[in-house]
């Protein structure tokens, strides 16, 4: 499908959100879609927004046709929520920079070809020292780990990246030196608002399956859907789905009109992730013991959903952003 653009070579976000919901509805492999999110929002979007003509010519075609896998390397062992406390350093050298540091919990790190790596020119400068770099995975001094074993999103390979005396040319800077926080924040706004679009598809499937199961499963001589405790639980899943979709679609509408969506993206991320976990838990409850078996999707949907409370800023951090945007 050809996705229309907003006139500035950026596809319409509303269309991307709709596509992601459709993919989420159509597959049980949320790990694959999660990797696609990291690739799209945190590699492709910053390139489209901040790339030089050379960078935009070199990388997006491969990222679009799948010959290149993208990753975003910002989190460090000692800098998670407090991301601007990062220690990975960028030391100017002849014609470029030496990068040194460790990035962790990086989605697709074990398989990535291209990474957007954030490093600081001056640790004491906080956000003002941060610079974004495009680092190819086979650059000397880049060492990846094998994939971490994690509770959910198991097909999304997550790992660590060590940078030791990794030299990159000036042309690898994405955006401007010392302005990496701008690249980071604008990509985050897209990601926060849209990363859960695929989850809408899962929530939609959960409602459909719950209704079907509640009609067919008989206990005490009647379908369990006749018990109000069960039917109301499914009604709540439907309410969460519709509210979540409206919040995610609002991000698409705002960004397509060229508007800022800092507050709205944090509201969407917070509400949708919490709703996703709650509905996934309800989906397990509705199936009874069957939903607890590893072979059934309800069990892995719940494990996948829990990650959403953490990535792209935890729920606590979304609360902080919302409070800050309200002037508190
Ligand atoms: C599935 C998954 C994929 C990920 N993919 C990537 C990736 O591709 N690239 C990448 O760079 N990172 C990635 N991450 C890392 C993610 O960005 C961090 O996990 C996240 O920022 C939280 O940091 P942390 O895990 O160090 O937790 P911490 O920051 O140590 O937080 C621990 C607890 O303290 C709370 N807390 C911390 N600060 C505050 C505060 N100011 N106010 C209130 N509560 C607070 C948090 O909410 C949390 O409950 C991924 C994480 C997950 C789970």
């Amino acid at each position: 499908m050809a996705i229309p653009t907003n006139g500035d070579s950026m596809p319409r976000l509303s269309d991307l959100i709709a596509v992601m919901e459709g993919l989420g509805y159509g597959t049980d492999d949320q790990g694959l879609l999660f990797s696609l999110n990291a690739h799209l929002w945190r590699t492709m979007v910053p390139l489209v927004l901040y790339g030089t003509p050379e960078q935009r010519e070199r990388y997006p075609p491969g990222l679009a046709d799948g010959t290149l896998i993208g990753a975003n390397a910002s989190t460090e062992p000692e800098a998670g929520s407090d991301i601007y406390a990062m220690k990975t350093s960028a030391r100017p050298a002849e014609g470029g920079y030496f990068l040194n540091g460790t990035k962790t919990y990086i989605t697709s790190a074990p398989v990535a070809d291209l990474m957007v790596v954030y490093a600081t020119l001056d640790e004491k400068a906080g956000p003002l020292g941060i610079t974004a770099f495009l680092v190819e995975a086979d650059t000397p001094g880049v060492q990846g780990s094998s994939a971490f074993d994690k509770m959910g999103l198991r097909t999304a390979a997550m790992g660590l990246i060590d940078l030791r005396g990794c030299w990159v040319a000036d042309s690898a800077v994405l955006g401007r030196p010392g302005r990496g926080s701008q690249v980071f924040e604008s990509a985050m706004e897209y990601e926060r608002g849209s990363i859960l679009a695929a989850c809408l598809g899962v929530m939609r499937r959960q409602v459909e399956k719950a209704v079907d199961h509640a009609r067919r499963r008989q206990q005490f001589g009647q379908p369990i859907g006749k018990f109000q405790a069960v039917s109301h639980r499914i009604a709540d899943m439907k309410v969460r789905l519709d509210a979540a979709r409206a919040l995610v679609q609002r991000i698409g509408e705002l960004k397509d009109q060229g508007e800022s969506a800092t507050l709205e993206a944090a509201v969407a991320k917070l509400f949708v992730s919490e709703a996703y976990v709650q509905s996934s838990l309800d989906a397990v409850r509705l199936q009874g013991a069957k939903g607890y078996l590893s072979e059934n999707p309800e069990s892995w949907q719940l494990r996948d959903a829990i990650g959403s409370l953490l990535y792209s800023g935890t729920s606590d951090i979304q609360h902080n952003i919302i409070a800050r945007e309200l002037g508190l």
Side-chain angles (χ1 to χ4, degrees):
M1 181 179 98
I3 296 181
T5 71
N6 64 5
D8 191 24
S9 72
M10 186 75 190
R12 277 170 26 94
L13 189 57
S14 309
D15 294 315
L16 288 177
I17 285 170
V19 168
M20 290 306 281
E21 179 179 342
L23 291 173
Y25 182 77
T27 178
D28 272 329
D29 190 348
Q30 292 302 305
L32 172 68
L33 298 186
F34 187 72
S35 304
L36 189 57
N37 274 303
H39 179 88
L40 191 58
W41 311 121
R42 303 304 300 279
T43 315
M44 188 66 125
V45 164
L47 259 166
V48 171
L49 294 178
Y50 293 97
T52 60
E54 293 73 29
Q55 290 168 342
R56 289 168 62 149
E57 198 169 313
R58 180 162 183 173
Y59 297 116
L63 290 169
D65 71 16
T67 47
L68 294 179
I69 296 176
N72 149 63
S74 44
T75 304
E76 298 182 359
E78 303 303 328
S81 301
D82 188 9
I83 194 63
Y84 294 133
M86 70 175 64
K87 290 188 166 35
T88 296
S89 62
R91 187 165 51 81
E94 187 65 26
Y97 297 83
F98 279 109
L99 306 181
N100 284 286
T102 302
K103 299 291 181 180
T104 190
Y105 309 125
I106 309 307
T107 301
S108 299
V111 294
D113 302 289
L114 177 69
M115 296 171 290
V116 178
V117 173
Y118 294 86
T120 180
L121 296 169
D122 176 5
E123 229 185 276
K124 293 190 205 81
L128 298 176
I130 308 296
T131 303
F133 295 91
L134 291 166
V135 180
E136 295 177 17
D138 58 2
T139 308
V142 177
Q143 182 71 50
S145 70
S146 51
F148 298 161
D149 192 13
K150 54 188 179 350
M151 72 185 284
L153 300 171
R154 293 174 71 86
T155 53
M158 172 197 269
L160 178 144
I161 294 163
D162 250 324
L163 301 151
R164 294 286 163 247
C166 164
W167 185 83
V168 290
D170 288 328
S171 58
V173 172
L174 181 61
R176 288 165 53 194
R179 297 289 176 87
S181 61
Q182 214 176 9
V183 179
F184 181 83
E185 294 297 342
S186 51
M188 267 313 250
E189 194 176 292
Y190 275 93
E191 181 179 88
R192 277 199 185 107
S194 318
I195 196 165
L196 295 176
C199 309
L200 299 174
V202 182
M203 290 169 75
R204 177 148 59 105
R205 220 152 15 97
Q206 286 171 338
V207 171
E208 289 172 3
K209 188 165 173 189
V211 169
D212 184 57
H213 183 67
R215 280 192 184 135
R216 286 193 292 111
R217 172 74 173 165
Q218 302 258 341
Q219 288 293 280
F220 300 96
Q222 60 176 348
I224 58 170
K226 292 293 173 201
F227 299 114
Q228 199 178 59
V230 171
S231 63
H232 282 196
R233 183 165 288 136
I234 299 173
D236 282 342
M237 290 168 75
K238 170 66 175 159
V239 171
R240 276 184 224 114
L241 167 62
D242 285 3
R245 186 186 285 114
L247 289 175
V248 174
Q249 285 178 345
R250 180 167 69 156
I251 310 302
E253 284 157 21
L254 286 169
K255 298 307 289 177
D256 289 340
Q257 288 160 14
E259 309 231 349
S260 159
T262 307
L263 172 62
E264 294 80 2
V267 168
K269 171 67 178 38
L270 176 60
F271 181 86
V272 182
S273 57
E274 297 285 343
Y276 181 33
V277 171
Q278 188 57 54
S279 287
S280 298
L281 185 56
D282 285 347
V284 171
R285 283 192 223 263
L286 285 159
Q287 294 289 328
K290 210 165 73 167
Y292 192 62
L293 298 186
S294 303
E295 69 192 46
N296 285 323
E298 287 73 21
S299 67
W300 72 71
Q301 283 167 0
L302 178 58
R303 286 186 276 116
D304 289 349
I306 288 171
S308 72
L309 304 177
L310 306 172
Y311 55 70
S312 307
T314 67
S315 291
D316 299 322
I317 294 303
Q318 307 308 330
H319 276 110
N320 289 352
I321 297 170
I322 295 163
R324 186 194 68 209
E325 290 294 309
L326 292 174
L328 299 169

